[in-house]
Structure formats: structure tokens, C-alpha cells
Amino acid sequence: MPFRLLNMGIRAISMLSKFLLIVYLAKLLPTADLGIYGLLVASIGFAVLFLGFDYYTYSNRELLSVSKDEWSSVIVNQIYAYLPLYVIFIPIAFLLYFYDVLPNGYFIWFLLLLLLEHISIEQNRLLNTMQKQLSASFVLFFRSGLWVLFVMPLIIYIEKFRTLEVILNAWLLGVLFSVVFATVIIKKSINNWNFSSLSFSWIKKGYKVGVLFIVGTIALRAISTGDRFFLEQWSNVEMVGVYVFYTSLTVGASAFIHAGVIVFSTPKIITAYQQDKLMEFELLMNKFFKELIFSIIIMLTVLYLVMPFVIEWIGKGLYLEYYDVFYIALITVGVTVLSSHPGTYLYAARRDIYILLLNISSLIVFILLLWFFYFNYLELPALYRVSFSVALTLIFLLVAKYFGYFYFRKKMESKA
């Protein structure tokens, strides 16, 4: 328990730092700058999917199924698998520059942050799978928290540093440090490194699994990226800033649950299922569900109580005018966290096709909802139309995941 509390504490500082960053950006920077920041974050998050190809869903699951002596081979082949993806997709990223998808002057930051963020994210996932959650938390802290703690005094007390460029430079240094730290930890964790253990058949199999996940993940991420770009088109970048403010704070708060519950529970659940320890699997799934419910209630309660004071302190009427978006964001984040319960089972049970169909269906539902709200509720501000579309889509996804959860478990029990 002390170990878990320490892990949660480190992640809590990381998430609190990002929470405070969003709050201070909302107070000290023009709302449009917060909107641009949100577009960059969303674009990087979406582009990372192409660089990674969701290959980790295959390699990390394989890592849990082999002995530690074979970890080197798995990790080395995972690295080799990424190289062709970099060659293919990095040049494609320049299309964002040529077609002015991103605001002028921010493409270089986008490209550098994209490369480093992908490496750091994959390292973080790997450390969690290796059950080095504390090291993974430090990687997250360096990538998301430490640089914020350094830059915050600058933007608070020195007016000339209150620019988006200062924020992006600090972010770049933070994620670079996280990559260096994670590289050292992973290197020391395995003694028998062998970079000549290239297996084309293993890599090819990973691509096949990755295709199933990447299509679905892109479909799902298109929702959390497209919402901001749709909003910019239907309204303006200031509305994107308001949307980013509320969604970033609620999603940031959910990271506490990820740190304290999800990263500890999911590797154990997957391992128990793969080893056919069904009784242990049942106990872990029940415990996981109870911890999620308890954590969600605490998270939503704290956010509900704290947010009015945050809005009052920021003192900008635009955030208060659209305060109802906060309530929609609360529902959305609660539903998203809860869906990790059935989602963990579907992943452990290798129901990859079903997961793919779910994610594609969710994107279709999202587009249909946008179309419905756009043509039937023109009097409703674009900010609400987009927020409702996202919330209802994720509710649909939660229901569909639980349908699969109960259906496949019943099917499995009938064969037993």
C-alpha cells in the first residue's frame, strides 16, 4: 500500500501541475492561445497513433506471456517495428504544414514534440507492463509535471514570459528529460540485451494485430481530436479554449484513477486470464470494478466542489458564460473511466475484432450526432452541440462494451 500511495502521489503532482497549468493559462493568456494549445495537444495525440501503430497492444501483451529472459527479444523487435513507421508517417506529417491545419509558426514544435512524446509514451507503457509502475510514474512526472513546476513561476511573476512559445519550449525539455530517464531504467532492467535478435515473423504478426487496434484507436481518437477542430470550424478558437479548459481539467483529474487503480489492476487481470486462473480473474475484476466506482465518485465530487472557486479566481466571463459545459464534461469523464472495466476484459480475452467494431461504430455515432445537432439545434451554441455529441458517443461506447463483456463471458461459460 505505501508503494501504491507513493506512485499515486507522484502522478498526483504530475496531474495537479497540468491542472494548474490549464488554470493559469486560462487566467494569464488570451483564450485564443489556450485554444491553439488545445489544438496542438490534440494533433500530437492523434499523430502519435500513426507513429506507434498501436503496436504496443501486441508487444506488451506478448511481454506478459513470456519469461523475463525473453524480454530483450520482445523489446528489441518492438523498436525495429517502429522504424518503418517513422519512415512512412513522419513525411506525411508535413501535410499539416502545407495545408495550414495547424496555426502558422507552430509546426516545428509539433514535429519535435510528436517524436519525443511517442518515444516517452511507449517507454511509459513498457515500464507499466514490466510492473515498474513507480518508474513509469516518474517518466510521466518528467513529461507532464516537472517542467510545469519550473515554468509556472515564470509566467506568474514575469509578464514577458506569458507566451505560448515559452510553454512549448518547457514542454519540449520536459519530455526530452523523460525519454533519457526511461531509457536508462529500461536498459538497466534487462541484462541480456541482444539487438541482433531480429524476427521478421514476430514483427509481421505484430503489424497484423496492430492493424486491428490502430484502425479502432484512430476512430476513437478522431472523436477527441475532431471535436476541437469541428468546434473551431463552427465557432472560433476562443470557444476551443473554453472547451479545452473544461475537458482538460476533468480528463486530467481522471489520471489519478489511472495511476491509483488502472495501472495496478490491468496487468494482473490480463496475466490471470492468460494463465487460466479464472477464480483469481473473477476476484480481480470485481475488485477493479469497486475501486473504479469509488474513485469516480470521489473524483466527480471534488471537481464539482472545487470548480466554482477556480472559475471565480480566473475572473473571465467567457468561462462562466459556458459553465454548463463543465457538467457535460463531468459525465463524459466518468463514463470514460468506467468503460475501462469491460474494456480490460475484452482486451485480456483478445476480442480484438469486437474492440475494432466498437471503436469504428463510436466514430460513426459521433458523426451522426454532430450532424443531428448541427441541423436540428442551430439555436444551441456550437460548444454545447459538440459537447453533447462527445458525451452521448462515449455513453454508447460504455453500453456496447458492457454488452460485449456479458455476451462473451456467457459464451465462454457455456463452453466450459
Side-chain angles (χ1 to χ4, degrees):
M1 184 59 70
F3 173 77
R4 180 177 289 201
L5 289 175
L6 177 60
N7 184 66
M8 287 183 65
I10 295 170
R11 291 190 175 238
I13 295 171
S14 302
M15 294 306 103
L16 182 61
S17 299
K18 295 301 287 286
F19 181 95
L20 292 175
L21 177 66
I22 294 296
V23 170
Y24 273 98
L25 290 182
K27 182 176 178 63
L28 300 175
L29 269 63
T31 307
D33 279 2
L34 183 56
I36 293 172
Y37 175 77
L39 291 174
L40 277 170
V41 170
S43 299
I44 291 168
F46 191 68
V48 159
L49 297 178
F50 291 94
L51 287 186
F53 207 66
D54 265 11
Y55 202 90
Y56 80 94
T57 55
Y58 168 73
S59 59
N60 287 7
R61 193 160 58 187
E62 291 296 307
L63 201 72
L64 289 170
S65 64
V66 300
S67 66
K68 191 173 181 180
D69 292 335
E70 299 176 79
W71 281 7
S72 170
S73 177
V74 173
I75 297 170
V76 166
N77 279 282
Q78 183 180 3
I79 294 171
Y80 284 134
Y82 287 137
L83 298 180
L85 299 174
Y86 273 53
V87 172
I88 294 170
F89 289 114
I90 288 179
I92 295 176
F94 280 88
L95 293 175
L96 297 175
Y97 174 76
F98 290 118
Y99 288 98
D100 293 325
V101 176
L102 292 173
N104 291 330
Y106 292 99
F107 180 73
I108 297 300
W109 274 299
F110 163 79
L111 196 60
L112 293 174
L113 286 167
L114 169 62
L115 293 172
L116 292 173
E117 278 282 325
H118 173 248
I119 296 171
S120 183
I121 288 169
E122 296 296 350
Q123 290 174 325
N124 190 276
R125 288 167 173 162
L126 180 60
L127 288 168
N128 276 321
T129 304
M130 295 166 67
Q131 299 203 31
K132 292 184 175 293
Q133 286 91 352
L134 189 59
S135 294
S137 294
F138 274 112
V139 173
L140 175 64
F141 174 62
F142 297 143
R143 186 173 81 240
S144 304
L146 183 62
W147 65 268
V148 176
L149 298 179
F150 277 104
V151 81
M152 287 279 287
L154 295 179
I155 65 173
I156 291 173
Y157 297 109
I158 306 175
E159 188 173 352
K160 70 176 182 178
F161 287 119
R162 294 174 188 173
T163 66
L164 190 53
E165 288 76 12
V166 169
I167 301 300
L168 296 178
N169 277 318
W171 180 6
L172 188 65
L173 290 174
V175 70
L176 176 61
F177 187 67
S178 76
V179 168
V180 173
F181 174 81
T183 301
V184 173
I185 296 298
I186 294 170
K187 185 177 183 297
K188 288 183 176 180
S189 299
I190 299 174
N191 297 320
N192 58 334
W193 286 104
N194 181 9
F195 284 90
S196 63
S197 59
L198 179 62
S199 172
F200 288 106
S201 61
W202 191 91
I203 292 173
K204 184 179 178 181
K205 185 178 178 182
Y207 285 143
K208 290 180 179 178
V209 175
V211 166
L212 292 178
F213 280 97
I214 191 60
V215 173
T217 304
I218 287 174
L220 196 59
R221 186 61 68 87
I223 298 172
S224 60
T225 304
D227 54 359
R228 303 178 188 200
F229 285 97
F230 271 114
L231 183 55
E232 183 191 22
Q233 292 298 313
W234 288 355
S235 187
N236 54 57
V237 75
E238 283 194 336
M239 289 296 98
V240 177
V242 175
Y243 182 75
V244 167
F245 172 71
Y246 285 122
T247 55
S248 295
L249 292 187
T250 52
V251 171
S254 70
F256 291 108
I257 300 177
H258 187 270
V261 179
I262 297 175
V263 297
F264 283 96
S265 299
T266 50
K268 296 176 183 177
I269 291 171
I270 294 168
T271 301
Y273 188 91
Q274 290 182 342
Q275 295 178 355
D276 290 325
K277 299 178 180 178
L278 298 183
M279 186 173 294
E280 181 182 347
F281 170 78
E282 291 289 344
L283 292 173
L284 288 170
M285 283 295 290
N286 290 333
K287 181 184 177 184
F288 186 37
F289 178 76
K290 292 175 182 177
E291 289 179 343
L292 282 177
I293 293 295
F294 177 76
S295 301
I296 290 170
I297 292 172
I298 296 297
M299 175 188 67
L300 297 184
T301 301
V302 171
L303 285 172
Y304 179 83
L305 294 174
V306 168
M307 190 58 69
F309 299 101
V310 174
I311 296 298
E312 182 180 356
W313 179 78
I314 290 174
K316 291 185 179 180
L318 199 58
Y319 296 107
L320 183 59
E321 181 180 351
Y322 293 99
Y323 189 76
D324 288 342
V325 173
F326 167 64
Y327 297 120
I328 304 172
L330 282 182
I331 296 171
T332 302
V333 75
V335 166
T336 302
V337 172
L338 183 58
S339 69
S340 62
H341 178 253
T344 298
Y345 166 76
L346 293 172
Y347 176 69
R350 299 177 186 267
R351 300 295 179 179
D352 301 341
I353 298 296
Y354 186 75
I355 295 172
L356 169 64
L357 294 176
L358 278 186
N359 292 342
I360 293 175
S361 299
S362 296
L363 178 58
I364 295 172
V365 168
F366 176 62
I367 293 171
L368 290 175
L369 285 168
L370 284 174
W371 177 84
F372 173 78
F373 281 112
Y374 182 77
F375 286 104
N376 292 279
Y377 291 92
L378 288 176
E379 73 283 357
L380 195 66
L383 189 55
Y384 290 107
R385 280 181 268 160
V386 171
S387 298
F388 279 126
S389 297
V390 173
L392 292 172
T393 299
L394 294 178
I395 290 171
F396 161 80
L397 183 59
L398 174 66
V399 172
K401 281 186 176 181
Y402 266 116
F403 173 83
Y405 172 74
F406 290 114
Y407 173 79
F408 288 118
R409 292 193 64 183
K410 185 177 181 181
K411 186 177 181 180
M412 182 181 67
E413 291 169 0
S414 64
K415 289 182 179 181

